[in-house]
Amino acid sequence: MTTESSREVWREGLGVALATSAYGISFGALAVAAGLDVWQTCVLSLVMFTGGSQFAFIGVLASGGISALPSAIASAALLGVRNVAYGMRMSPIIGRGFWRRAAAAHFTIDESTAVAISQSDPRLSRVGFWVTGIGIFLGWNVMTLVGALLGDVLGDPKTWGLDAAAAAAFLALLWPRLKRRQAVAVGVAAAVVAASVTPWLMPGIPVLLAAVVAIVVGWFNWLGRDAVRDAEAQP
């Protein structure tokens, strides 16, 4: 692991952290608009700390009030299931040790996992994971507080483009990995499945169904077999 490569990972992790943290303003403003006070909003970000689940929680809560609390919790839990898969993937990278794994569990999110697995060296993967995870945790919670305090002043967060910040950051990480037919096919198929069922199912389920597509294709390795045969056929 060279100094330059380590610096590059730091830049990548901090760049993702900055882009994703900005989205915290949107969450803070929307949470207060949904009926939570500033203290409740900040605690939710500190304890839950998984953007998709947080937005699902306040989205259901805003539509149904306190009576929708069980549905809000269920929606958030469904979206959080994906973090279990991330944890399994990150376990060999994080290494052993109870306290290290306990801390890593809280920082295992979409972005920290993506930055970690995009590195070719295990040591760089660890750097990317911790820099991205801790950076987003700090920035997300600060921006959540800012959004909660300035929610009325900011107005609709979508007018500022904050609703697209996290998605844009994650797409920037995903794009370089779409070099093989199988990766492209899985991405397109998963997106189509998720978009098709989103209007009809509760939040969380479309994400799980999209994940099933990736699991099935990866398990049977349909397009991967074609790539192997093509490689073997070359002189």
Side-chain angles (χ1 to χ4, degrees):
M1 181 176 63
T2 65
T3 302
E4 182 58 33
S5 59
S6 180
R7 289 176 180 173
E8 181 62 31
V9 176
W10 271 83
R11 286 193 293 266
E12 182 178 345
L14 291 177
V16 172
L18 288 173
T20 306
S21 296
Y23 200 20
I25 298 179
S26 178
F27 171 75
L30 292 174
V32 171
L36 301 180
D37 59 30
V38 174
W39 180 83
Q40 291 170 328
T41 300
C42 291
V43 169
L44 191 62
S45 273
L46 283 168
V47 176
M48 186 177 288
F49 186 53
T50 171
S53 295
Q54 292 179 229
F55 279 100
F57 181 86
I58 63 171
V60 176
L61 193 64
S63 63
I66 193 64
S67 62
L69 186 58
S71 297
I73 295 174
S75 299
L78 280 172
L79 274 174
V81 169
R82 73 191 190 281
N83 286 9
V84 176
Y86 294 160
M88 296 172 62
R89 177 64 178 84
M90 293 305 302
S91 180
I93 294 176
I94 297 303
R96 299 181 178 181
F98 173 80
W99 294 112
R100 179 187 300 177
R101 287 175 175 264
H106 200 54
F107 300 134
T108 302
I109 55 177
D110 298 329
E111 293 80 6
S112 62
T113 302
V115 172
I117 65 176
S118 66
Q119 312 305 321
S120 57
D121 187 293
R123 290 171 294 180
L124 292 177
S125 294
R126 283 192 291 272
V127 172
F129 173 83
W130 289 110
V131 170
T132 308
I134 295 175
I136 293 177
F137 180 78
L138 296 175
W140 178 267
N141 282 283
V142 170
M143 292 298 103
T144 292
L145 176 60
V146 172
L149 293 174
L150 302 179
D152 293 336
V153 177
L154 290 173
D156 187 357
K158 293 181 180 180
T159 62
W160 298 88
L162 296 176
D163 57 317
F170 192 75
L171 181 60
L173 290 171
L174 177 65
W175 189 261
R177 301 182 67 84
L178 300 179
K179 297 178 180 180
R180 298 181 180 274
R181 287 182 299 171
Q182 180 166 293
V184 175
V186 169
V188 172
V192 169
V193 169
S196 300
V197 301
T198 293
W200 316 107
L201 300 177
M202 65 184 298
I205 295 180
V207 175
L208 297 180
L209 292 179
V212 170
V213 174
I215 292 172
V216 170
V217 175
W219 182 271
F220 292 101
N221 197 28
W222 288 321
L223 297 179
R225 293 173 180 172
D226 295 337
V228 172
R229 284 197 295 266
D230 292 343
E232 291 178 346
Q234 294 179 354

